[in-house]
Amino acid sequence: MIVVAQLAALVAAAVHLMVFVWETILFRRPSIHWGVFRVPAADVPPVRMWAFNVGFYNLFLGSGALAGMILWWTGHETPGRTLVVYTCAFMFLAGMALFASDRMAMSRPRGTGVVGSLCQSVPSLVALVALALALA
């Protein structure tokens, strides 16, 4: 179960790091602002600052989970595992907040609310559950 928890935490970190790139570096590309986030081109300028800021939240979460894994693997098990649990819990709860708040996007096919919340929540939840089972 520890291996499952670690792999799921790494997937969760990778998702958040990828979203950082989308929201901060590539957001102006139509394939990203429309294709991923369903933001029309006319709305990109006012939404860009929000996306840029949220991208950094994703960077910090993904980096935190990755740093926790590195600590864990290098013999600092308690602080590493603690950081992984905190960042995965944060990711899971943020995904639930996205799911609850994005009603309009959820009503559309390929709505970003459902897809985004699943991508954010499922790997982090798997990591938390697997870790809880391993330590029980």
Side-chain angles (χ1 to χ4, degrees):
M1 277 295 155
I2 292 293
V3 172
V4 171
Q6 291 179 343
L7 289 174
L10 289 173
V11 169
V15 166
H16 283 75
L17 294 172
M18 177 182 64
V19 173
F20 160 74
V21 171
W22 286 346
E23 290 175 332
T24 59
I25 299 169
L26 303 176
F27 189 74
R28 290 184 178 163
R29 292 183 181 183
S31 62
I32 302 299
H33 70 75
W34 177 250
V36 175
F37 298 105
R38 294 291 188 230
V39 174
D43 294 339
V44 169
V47 171
R48 189 177 178 322
M49 185 59 71
W50 161 84
F52 186 82
N53 190 42
V54 172
F56 275 91
Y57 279 89
N58 286 306
L59 172 66
F60 301 145
L61 282 170
S63 297
L66 190 57
M69 291 304 304
I70 291 168
L71 284 170
W72 194 347
W73 290 336
T74 58
H76 305 283
E77 186 174 339
T78 299
R81 197 173 57 220
T82 301
L83 189 53
V84 168
V85 167
Y86 174 76
T87 55
C88 284
F90 192 120
M91 291 175 195
F92 173 71
L93 293 171
M96 292 297 91
L98 177 61
F99 182 83
S101 67
D102 202 1
R103 299 274 184 223
M104 187 180 299
M106 289 189 295
S107 67
R108 292 179 288 187
R110 283 191 64 204
T112 57
V114 171
V115 174
S117 71
L118 288 175
C119 290
Q120 186 169 21
S121 298
V122 171
S124 54
L125 180 60
V126 168
L128 293 169
V129 169
L131 189 54
L133 291 172
L135 299 176

